Amino acid sequence: MDPATIGVMIPIVALMIPIVAIWTRHQQKLAEMNVKSTAEATAEKAAQYASHITDLEDRVRVLERIITDRGYDIATQIEALRDQRRVEGEGAGVPLDTARKERV
């Protein structure tokens, strides 16, 4: 390399050092913001899942309470439905009474 080329390269390199430092700090800030937003999104999803699981647990508790508190005997009820079907005739099935709705 001749001295003129070296003379031009020295200021260019000297000016590139602060530019690279600024660019590196900017990239670091972008990475930190990305990590922060990902952490927030993950925490939000975890809270939603926890809420959903709590709702499901509450529903299971209600169903368990219905079964145990009211003394339901599922096998007896199934047999009663089968007996009712036999009385009404084979193949007729259990009639659906759409006019009357029972609330639990």
Side-chain angles (χ1 to χ4, degrees):
M1 279 194 187
D2 62 354
T5 307
I6 293 175
V8 171
M9 295 295 284
I10 290 174
I12 292 174
V13 170
L15 291 174
M16 284 181 59
I17 291 173
I19 292 172
V20 170
I22 292 170
W23 180 80
T24 304
R25 273 186 271 142
H26 176 70
Q27 291 298 320
Q28 182 180 6
K29 286 180 184 178
L30 287 177
E32 288 172 359
M33 288 176 11
N34 189 16
V35 167
K36 187 177 181 180
S37 67
T38 303
E40 288 173 359
T42 303
E44 184 177 316
K45 283 187 179 186
Q48 288 175 350
Y49 289 137
S51 172
H52 185 66
I53 288 172
T54 304
D55 292 344
L56 290 174
E57 287 174 346
D58 290 343
R59 292 177 76 179
V60 168
R61 279 190 206 102
V62 168
L63 291 173
E64 288 173 345
R65 191 175 60 235
I66 288 171
I67 296 297
T68 57
D69 289 352
R70 294 187 184 168
Y72 279 97
D73 185 9
I74 301 298
T76 305
Q77 288 182 351
I78 292 171
E79 289 303 320
L81 289 173
R82 287 185 183 148
D83 292 341
Q84 183 181 1
R85 179 187 255 172
R86 286 188 200 117
V87 169
E88 293 174 2
E90 283 192 42
V94 177
L96 297 176
D97 187 8
T98 56
R100 183 183 69 143
K101 292 188 178 185
E102 188 173 281
R103 295 191 187 242
V104 179

PDB file of all heavy atoms in Angstrom, residues 14-45:
ATOM      1  N   ALA A  14     -10.931   5.552  11.835  1.00  0.00           N
ATOM      2  CA  ALA A  14     -11.168   6.333  13.057  1.00  0.00           C
ATOM      3  C   ALA A  14     -12.636   6.745  13.162  1.00  0.00           C
ATOM      4  O   ALA A  14     -13.196   6.802  14.252  1.00  0.00           O
ATOM      5  CB  ALA A  14     -10.264   7.561  13.062  1.00  0.00           C
ATOM      6  N   LEU A  15     -13.287   7.036  12.054  1.00  0.00           N
ATOM      7  CA  LEU A  15     -14.701   7.396  12.071  1.00  0.00           C
ATOM      8  C   LEU A  15     -15.615   6.166  12.206  1.00  0.00           C
ATOM      9  O   LEU A  15     -16.732   6.282  12.713  1.00  0.00           O
ATOM     10  CB  LEU A  15     -15.059   8.178  10.804  1.00  0.00           C
ATOM     11  CG  LEU A  15     -14.469   9.578  10.698  1.00  0.00           C
ATOM     12  CD1 LEU A  15     -14.774  10.184   9.340  1.00  0.00           C
ATOM     13  CD2 LEU A  15     -15.005  10.472  11.802  1.00  0.00           C
ATOM     14  N   MET A  16     -15.160   5.017  11.768  1.00  0.00           N
ATOM     15  CA  MET A  16     -15.973   3.802  11.845  1.00  0.00           C
ATOM     16  C   MET A  16     -16.081   3.270  13.273  1.00  0.00           C
ATOM     17  O   MET A  16     -17.088   2.656  13.624  1.00  0.00           O
ATOM     18  CB  MET A  16     -15.400   2.715  10.927  1.00  0.00           C
ATOM     19  CG  MET A  16     -15.695   2.969   9.470  1.00  0.00           C
ATOM     20  SD  MET A  16     -15.048   1.698   8.399  1.00  0.00           S
ATOM     21  CE  MET A  16     -15.858   0.250   9.001  1.00  0.00           C
ATOM     22  N   ILE A  17     -15.100   3.503  14.104  1.00  0.00           N
ATOM     23  CA  ILE A  17     -15.108   2.984  15.472  1.00  0.00           C
ATOM     24  C   ILE A  17     -16.308   3.511  16.259  1.00  0.00           C
ATOM     25  O   ILE A  17     -17.053   2.727  16.845  1.00  0.00           O
ATOM     26  CB  ILE A  17     -13.761   3.274  16.175  1.00  0.00           C
ATOM     27  CG1 ILE A  17     -12.665   2.439  15.532  1.00  0.00           C
ATOM     28  CG2 ILE A  17     -13.860   3.003  17.677  1.00  0.00           C
ATOM     29  CD1 ILE A  17     -11.272   2.753  16.029  1.00  0.00           C
ATOM     30  N   PRO A  18     -16.594   4.819  16.311  1.00  0.00           N
ATOM     31  CA  PRO A  18     -17.782   5.271  17.056  1.00  0.00           C
ATOM     32  C   PRO A  18     -19.087   4.793  16.412  1.00  0.00           C
ATOM     33  O   PRO A  18     -20.067   4.504  17.111  1.00  0.00           O
ATOM     34  CB  PRO A  18     -17.694   6.791  17.036  1.00  0.00           C
ATOM     35  CG  PRO A  18     -16.456   7.155  16.352  1.00  0.00           C
ATOM     36  CD  PRO A  18     -15.800   5.931  15.844  1.00  0.00           C
ATOM     37  N   ILE A  19     -19.117   4.697  15.082  1.00  0.00           N
ATOM     38  CA  ILE A  19     -20.328   4.221  14.398  1.00  0.00           C
ATOM     39  C   ILE A  19     -20.620   2.782  14.797  1.00  0.00           C
ATOM     40  O   ILE A  19     -21.768   2.426  15.112  1.00  0.00           O
ATOM     41  CB  ILE A  19     -20.179   4.366  12.866  1.00  0.00           C
ATOM     42  CG1 ILE A  19     -20.159   5.848  12.489  1.00  0.00           C
ATOM     43  CG2 ILE A  19     -21.297   3.640  12.141  1.00  0.00           C
ATOM     44  CD1 ILE A  19     -19.828   6.122  11.044  1.00  0.00           C
ATOM     45  N   VAL A  20     -19.607   1.948  14.836  1.00  0.00           N
ATOM     46  CA  VAL A  20     -19.790   0.550  15.244  1.00  0.00           C
ATOM     47  C   VAL A  20     -20.208   0.475  16.705  1.00  0.00           C
ATOM     48  O   VAL A  20     -21.073  -0.331  17.081  1.00  0.00           O
ATOM     49  CB  VAL A  20     -18.497  -0.271  14.985  1.00  0.00           C
ATOM     50  CG1 VAL A  20     -18.571  -1.646  15.622  1.00  0.00           C
ATOM     51  CG2 VAL A  20     -18.246  -0.388  13.495  1.00  0.00           C
ATOM     52  N   ALA A  21     -19.664   1.330  17.553  1.00  0.00           N
ATOM     53  CA  ALA A  21     -20.033   1.340  18.977  1.00  0.00           C
ATOM     54  C   ALA A  21     -21.498   1.732  19.141  1.00  0.00           C
ATOM     55  O   ALA A  21     -22.238   1.113  19.915  1.00  0.00           O
ATOM     56  CB  ALA A  21     -19.118   2.295  19.748  1.00  0.00           C
ATOM     57  N   ILE A  22     -21.944   2.745  18.405  1.00  0.00           N
ATOM     58  CA  ILE A  22     -23.351   3.165  18.478  1.00  0.00           C
ATOM     59  C   ILE A  22     -24.263   2.051  17.971  1.00  0.00           C
ATOM     60  O   ILE A  22     -25.297   1.754  18.576  1.00  0.00           O
ATOM     61  CB  ILE A  22     -23.550   4.480  17.680  1.00  0.00           C
ATOM     62  CG1 ILE A  22     -22.836   5.636  18.375  1.00  0.00           C
ATOM     63  CG2 ILE A  22     -25.036   4.785  17.507  1.00  0.00           C
ATOM     64  CD1 ILE A  22     -22.771   6.901  17.528  1.00  0.00           C
ATOM     65  N   TRP A  23     -23.904   1.449  16.864  1.00  0.00           N
ATOM     66  CA  TRP A  23     -24.704   0.363  16.289  1.00  0.00           C
ATOM     67  C   TRP A  23     -24.786  -0.822  17.254  1.00  0.00           C
ATOM     68  O   TRP A  23     -25.851  -1.421  17.434  1.00  0.00           O
ATOM     69  CB  TRP A  23     -24.099  -0.071  14.960  1.00  0.00           C
ATOM     70  CG  TRP A  23     -24.862  -1.180  14.299  1.00  0.00           C
ATOM     71  CD1 TRP A  23     -26.003  -1.066  13.572  1.00  0.00           C
ATOM     72  CD2 TRP A  23     -24.536  -2.558  14.324  1.00  0.00           C
ATOM     73  NE1 TRP A  23     -26.413  -2.302  13.135  1.00  0.00           N
ATOM     74  CE2 TRP A  23     -25.513  -3.231  13.580  1.00  0.00           C
ATOM     75  CE3 TRP A  23     -23.504  -3.296  14.898  1.00  0.00           C
ATOM     76  CZ2 TRP A  23     -25.491  -4.608  13.397  1.00  0.00           C
ATOM     77  CZ3 TRP A  23     -23.481  -4.653  14.715  1.00  0.00           C
ATOM     78  CH2 TRP A  23     -24.481  -5.307  13.970  1.00  0.00           C
ATOM     79  N   THR A  24     -23.690  -1.156  17.927  1.00  0.00           N
ATOM     80  CA  THR A  24     -23.663  -2.264  18.886  1.00  0.00           C
ATOM     81  C   THR A  24     -24.574  -1.972  20.077  1.00  0.00           C
ATOM     82  O   THR A  24     -25.332  -2.847  20.515  1.00  0.00           O
ATOM     83  CB  THR A  24     -22.221  -2.511  19.379  1.00  0.00           C
ATOM     84  OG1 THR A  24     -21.385  -2.742  18.252  1.00  0.00           O
ATOM     85  CG2 THR A  24     -22.157  -3.693  20.310  1.00  0.00           C
ATOM     86  N   ARG A  25     -24.529  -0.741  20.605  1.00  0.00           N
ATOM     87  CA  ARG A  25     -25.424  -0.373  21.709  1.00  0.00           C
ATOM     88  C   ARG A  25     -26.889  -0.449  21.286  1.00  0.00           C
ATOM     89  O   ARG A  25     -27.745  -0.910  22.040  1.00  0.00           O
ATOM     90  CB  ARG A  25     -25.102   1.033  22.220  1.00  0.00           C
ATOM     91  CG  ARG A  25     -24.023   1.024  23.289  1.00  0.00           C
ATOM     92  CD  ARG A  25     -23.828   2.395  23.887  1.00  0.00           C
ATOM     93  NE  ARG A  25     -22.815   3.056  23.036  1.00  0.00           N
ATOM     94  CZ  ARG A  25     -22.820   4.327  22.700  1.00  0.00           C
ATOM     95  NH1 ARG A  25     -23.747   5.132  23.124  1.00  0.00           N
ATOM     96  NH2 ARG A  25     -21.868   4.806  21.940  1.00  0.00           N
ATOM     97  N   HIS A  26     -27.168  -0.024  20.067  1.00  0.00           N
ATOM     98  CA  HIS A  26     -28.541  -0.090  19.556  1.00  0.00           C
ATOM     99  C   HIS A  26     -29.010  -1.546  19.454  1.00  0.00           C
ATOM    100  O   HIS A  26     -30.143  -1.869  19.841  1.00  0.00           O
ATOM    101  CB  HIS A  26     -28.623   0.598  18.190  1.00  0.00           C
ATOM    102  CG  HIS A  26     -29.961   0.503  17.551  1.00  0.00           C
ATOM    103  ND1 HIS A  26     -31.062   1.170  18.036  1.00  0.00           N
ATOM    104  CD2 HIS A  26     -30.387  -0.190  16.457  1.00  0.00           C
ATOM    105  CE1 HIS A  26     -32.105   0.894  17.276  1.00  0.00           C
ATOM    106  NE2 HIS A  26     -31.722   0.067  16.307  1.00  0.00           N
ATOM    107  N   GLN A  27     -28.172  -2.408  18.939  1.00  0.00           N
ATOM    108  CA  GLN A  27     -28.527  -3.831  18.834  1.00  0.00           C
ATOM    109  C   GLN A  27     -28.742  -4.448  20.217  1.00  0.00           C
ATOM    110  O   GLN A  27     -29.639  -5.271  20.410  1.00  0.00           O
ATOM    111  CB  GLN A  27     -27.432  -4.604  18.080  1.00  0.00           C
ATOM    112  CG  GLN A  27     -27.342  -4.245  16.612  1.00  0.00           C
ATOM    113  CD  GLN A  27     -28.623  -4.569  15.866  1.00  0.00           C
ATOM    114  OE1 GLN A  27     -29.259  -5.587  16.093  1.00  0.00           O
ATOM    115  NE2 GLN A  27     -29.016  -3.686  14.968  1.00  0.00           N
ATOM    116  N   GLN A  28     -27.948  -4.035  21.189  1.00  0.00           N
ATOM    117  CA  GLN A  28     -28.102  -4.536  22.557  1.00  0.00           C
ATOM    118  C   GLN A  28     -29.446  -4.091  23.143  1.00  0.00           C
ATOM    119  O   GLN A  28     -30.150  -4.884  23.771  1.00  0.00           O
ATOM    120  CB  GLN A  28     -26.945  -4.040  23.428  1.00  0.00           C
ATOM    121  CG  GLN A  28     -27.012  -4.549  24.847  1.00  0.00           C
ATOM    122  CD  GLN A  28     -25.846  -4.034  25.692  1.00  0.00           C
ATOM    123  OE1 GLN A  28     -25.050  -3.220  25.243  1.00  0.00           O
ATOM    124  NE2 GLN A  28     -25.767  -4.516  26.917  1.00  0.00           N
ATOM    125  N   LYS A  29     -29.819  -2.832  22.925  1.00  0.00           N
ATOM    126  CA  LYS A  29     -31.114  -2.346  23.411  1.00  0.00           C
ATOM    127  C   LYS A  29     -32.265  -3.095  22.748  1.00  0.00           C
ATOM    128  O   LYS A  29     -33.253  -3.431  23.408  1.00  0.00           O
ATOM    129  CB  LYS A  29     -31.247  -0.839  23.159  1.00  0.00           C
ATOM    130  CG  LYS A  29     -30.415   0.002  24.082  1.00  0.00           C
ATOM    131  CD  LYS A  29     -30.588   1.479  23.779  1.00  0.00           C
ATOM    132  CE  LYS A  29     -29.681   2.325  24.653  1.00  0.00           C
ATOM    133  NZ  LYS A  29     -29.793   3.752  24.336  1.00  0.00           N
ATOM    134  N   LEU A  30     -32.170  -3.348  21.454  1.00  0.00           N
ATOM    135  CA  LEU A  30     -33.204  -4.110  20.757  1.00  0.00           C
ATOM    136  C   LEU A  30     -33.335  -5.521  21.332  1.00  0.00           C
ATOM    137  O   LEU A  30     -34.450  -6.016  21.532  1.00  0.00           O
ATOM    138  CB  LEU A  30     -32.896  -4.189  19.259  1.00  0.00           C
ATOM    139  CG  LEU A  30     -33.105  -2.919  18.448  1.00  0.00           C
ATOM    140  CD1 LEU A  30     -32.675  -3.141  16.998  1.00  0.00           C
ATOM    141  CD2 LEU A  30     -34.552  -2.486  18.506  1.00  0.00           C
ATOM    142  N   ALA A  31     -32.208  -6.152  21.619  1.00  0.00           N
ATOM    143  CA  ALA A  31     -32.242  -7.504  22.193  1.00  0.00           C
ATOM    144  C   ALA A  31     -32.870  -7.489  23.583  1.00  0.00           C
ATOM    145  O   ALA A  31     -33.673  -8.375  23.917  1.00  0.00           O
ATOM    146  CB  ALA A  31     -30.818  -8.075  22.262  1.00  0.00           C
ATOM    147  N   GLU A  32     -32.549  -6.484  24.392  1.00  0.00           N
ATOM    148  CA  GLU A  32     -33.141  -6.372  25.731  1.00  0.00           C
ATOM    149  C   GLU A  32     -34.650  -6.160  25.648  1.00  0.00           C
ATOM    150  O   GLU A  32     -35.422  -6.758  26.400  1.00  0.00           O
ATOM    151  CB  GLU A  32     -32.489  -5.232  26.509  1.00  0.00           C
ATOM    152  CG  GLU A  32     -31.075  -5.517  26.947  1.00  0.00           C
ATOM    153  CD  GLU A  32     -30.385  -4.298  27.549  1.00  0.00           C
ATOM    154  OE1 GLU A  32     -31.013  -3.214  27.613  1.00  0.00           O
ATOM    155  OE2 GLU A  32     -29.213  -4.433  27.943  1.00  0.00           O
ATOM    156  N   MET A  33     -35.099  -5.311  24.717  1.00  0.00           N
ATOM    157  CA  MET A  33     -36.535  -5.078  24.545  1.00  0.00           C
ATOM    158  C   MET A  33     -37.239  -6.346  24.081  1.00  0.00           C
ATOM    159  O   MET A  33     -38.356  -6.648  24.528  1.00  0.00           O
ATOM    160  CB  MET A  33     -36.771  -3.937  23.545  1.00  0.00           C
ATOM    161  CG  MET A  33     -36.409  -2.589  24.107  1.00  0.00           C
ATOM    162  SD  MET A  33     -36.540  -1.143  23.000  1.00  0.00           S
ATOM    163  CE  MET A  33     -37.375  -1.656  21.589  1.00  0.00           C
ATOM    164  N   ASN A  34     -36.594  -7.114  23.221  1.00  0.00           N
ATOM    165  CA  ASN A  34     -37.172  -8.357  22.733  1.00  0.00           C
ATOM    166  C   ASN A  34     -37.316  -9.369  23.870  1.00  0.00           C
ATOM    167  O   ASN A  34     -38.347 -10.028  24.001  1.00  0.00           O
ATOM    168  CB  ASN A  34     -36.308  -8.928  21.607  1.00  0.00           C
ATOM    169  CG  ASN A  34     -36.958 -10.096  20.915  1.00  0.00           C
ATOM    170  OD1 ASN A  34     -38.155 -10.312  21.050  1.00  0.00           O
ATOM    171  ND2 ASN A  34     -36.172 -10.846  20.177  1.00  0.00           N
ATOM    172  N   VAL A  35     -36.309  -9.471  24.702  1.00  0.00           N
ATOM    173  CA  VAL A  35     -36.360 -10.385  25.848  1.00  0.00           C
ATOM    174  C   VAL A  35     -37.462  -9.956  26.814  1.00  0.00           C
ATOM    175  O   VAL A  35     -38.231 -10.789  27.314  1.00  0.00           O
ATOM    176  CB  VAL A  35     -34.991 -10.438  26.561  1.00  0.00           C
ATOM    177  CG1 VAL A  35     -35.089 -11.106  27.917  1.00  0.00           C
ATOM    178  CG2 VAL A  35     -33.977 -11.149  25.687  1.00  0.00           C
ATOM    179  N   LYS A  36     -37.570  -8.655  27.056  1.00  0.00           N
ATOM    180  CA  LYS A  36     -38.587  -8.140  27.974  1.00  0.00           C
ATOM    181  C   LYS A  36     -39.995  -8.423  27.449  1.00  0.00           C
ATOM    182  O   LYS A  36     -40.866  -8.875  28.189  1.00  0.00           O
ATOM    183  CB  LYS A  36     -38.385  -6.642  28.176  1.00  0.00           C
ATOM    184  CG  LYS A  36     -39.277  -6.036  29.219  1.00  0.00           C
ATOM    185  CD  LYS A  36     -38.959  -4.559  29.413  1.00  0.00           C
ATOM    186  CE  LYS A  36     -39.836  -3.946  30.475  1.00  0.00           C
ATOM    187  NZ  LYS A  36     -39.544  -2.533  30.678  1.00  0.00           N
ATOM    188  N   SER A  37     -40.233  -8.161  26.168  1.00  0.00           N
ATOM    189  CA  SER A  37     -41.573  -8.396  25.613  1.00  0.00           C
ATOM    190  C   SER A  37     -41.906  -9.890  25.589  1.00  0.00           C
ATOM    191  O   SER A  37     -43.057 -10.271  25.840  1.00  0.00           O
ATOM    192  CB  SER A  37     -41.689  -7.804  24.211  1.00  0.00           C
ATOM    193  OG  SER A  37     -40.859  -8.488  23.305  1.00  0.00           O
ATOM    194  N   THR A  38     -40.922 -10.727  25.329  1.00  0.00           N
ATOM    195  CA  THR A  38     -41.152 -12.177  25.351  1.00  0.00           C
ATOM    196  C   THR A  38     -41.490 -12.644  26.765  1.00  0.00           C
ATOM    197  O   THR A  38     -42.399 -13.455  26.955  1.00  0.00           O
ATOM    198  CB  THR A  38     -39.905 -12.925  24.829  1.00  0.00           C
ATOM    199  OG1 THR A  38     -39.604 -12.464  23.517  1.00  0.00           O
ATOM    200  CG2 THR A  38     -40.129 -14.421  24.804  1.00  0.00           C
ATOM    201  N   ALA A  39     -40.795 -12.107  27.750  1.00  0.00           N
ATOM    202  CA  ALA A  39     -41.065 -12.475  29.145  1.00  0.00           C
ATOM    203  C   ALA A  39     -42.467 -12.034  29.555  1.00  0.00           C
ATOM    204  O   ALA A  39     -43.189 -12.776  30.231  1.00  0.00           O
ATOM    205  CB  ALA A  39     -40.021 -11.851  30.063  1.00  0.00           C
ATOM    206  N   GLU A  40     -42.874 -10.840  29.144  1.00  0.00           N
ATOM    207  CA  GLU A  40     -44.213 -10.357  29.474  1.00  0.00           C
ATOM    208  C   GLU A  40     -45.287 -11.222  28.816  1.00  0.00           C
ATOM    209  O   GLU A  40     -46.291 -11.556  29.442  1.00  0.00           O
ATOM    210  CB  GLU A  40     -44.367  -8.898  29.043  1.00  0.00           C
ATOM    211  CG  GLU A  40     -43.588  -7.920  29.899  1.00  0.00           C
ATOM    212  CD  GLU A  40     -43.622  -6.501  29.348  1.00  0.00           C
ATOM    213  OE1 GLU A  40     -44.233  -6.278  28.285  1.00  0.00           O
ATOM    214  OE2 GLU A  40     -43.039  -5.616  29.997  1.00  0.00           O
ATOM    215  N   ALA A  41     -45.077 -11.578  27.556  1.00  0.00           N
ATOM    216  CA  ALA A  41     -46.046 -12.412  26.847  1.00  0.00           C
ATOM    217  C   ALA A  41     -46.138 -13.792  27.489  1.00  0.00           C
ATOM    218  O   ALA A  41     -47.228 -14.356  27.636  1.00  0.00           O
ATOM    219  CB  ALA A  41     -45.658 -12.535  25.374  1.00  0.00           C
ATOM    220  N   THR A  42     -45.008 -14.336  27.901  1.00  0.00           N
ATOM    221  CA  THR A  42     -44.995 -15.642  28.550  1.00  0.00           C
ATOM    222  C   THR A  42     -45.717 -15.580  29.888  1.00  0.00           C
ATOM    223  O   THR A  42     -46.497 -16.481  30.223  1.00  0.00           O
ATOM    224  CB  THR A  42     -43.543 -16.121  28.744  1.00  0.00           C
ATOM    225  OG1 THR A  42     -42.891 -16.153  27.478  1.00  0.00           O
ATOM    226  CG2 THR A  42     -43.496 -17.498  29.372  1.00  0.00           C
ATOM    227  N   ALA A  43     -45.492 -14.536  30.651  1.00  0.00           N
ATOM    228  CA  ALA A  43     -46.164 -14.390  31.941  1.00  0.00           C
ATOM    229  C   ALA A  43     -47.672 -14.237  31.750  1.00  0.00           C
ATOM    230  O   ALA A  43     -48.466 -14.802  32.514  1.00  0.00           O
ATOM    231  CB  ALA A  43     -45.602 -13.178  32.681  1.00  0.00           C
ATOM    232  N   GLU A  44     -48.072 -13.505  30.724  1.00  0.00           N
ATOM    233  CA  GLU A  44     -49.503 -13.321  30.441  1.00  0.00           C
ATOM    234  C   GLU A  44     -50.155 -14.657  30.066  1.00  0.00           C
ATOM    235  O   GLU A  44     -51.239 -14.982  30.543  1.00  0.00           O
ATOM    236  CB  GLU A  44     -49.670 -12.313  29.310  1.00  0.00           C
ATOM    237  CG  GLU A  44     -51.114 -11.986  29.002  1.00  0.00           C
ATOM    238  CD  GLU A  44     -51.217 -10.933  27.914  1.00  0.00           C
ATOM    239  OE1 GLU A  44     -50.464  -9.948  27.965  1.00  0.00           O
ATOM    240  OE2 GLU A  44     -52.062 -11.109  27.026  1.00  0.00           O
ATOM    241  N   LYS A  45     -49.490 -15.431  29.219  1.00  0.00           N
ATOM    242  CA  LYS A  45     -50.031 -16.742  28.837  1.00  0.00           C
ATOM    243  C   LYS A  45     -50.097 -17.676  30.039  1.00  0.00           C
ATOM    244  O   LYS A  45     -51.055 -18.432  30.193  1.00  0.00           O
ATOM    245  CB  LYS A  45     -49.191 -17.373  27.726  1.00  0.00           C
ATOM    246  CG  LYS A  45     -49.459 -16.782  26.381  1.00  0.00           C
ATOM    247  CD  LYS A  45     -48.750 -17.548  25.296  1.00  0.00           C
ATOM    248  CE  LYS A  45     -49.059 -16.930  23.948  1.00  0.00           C
ATOM    249  NZ  LYS A  45     -48.521 -17.717  22.852  1.00  0.00           N
TER     250      LYS A  45
END
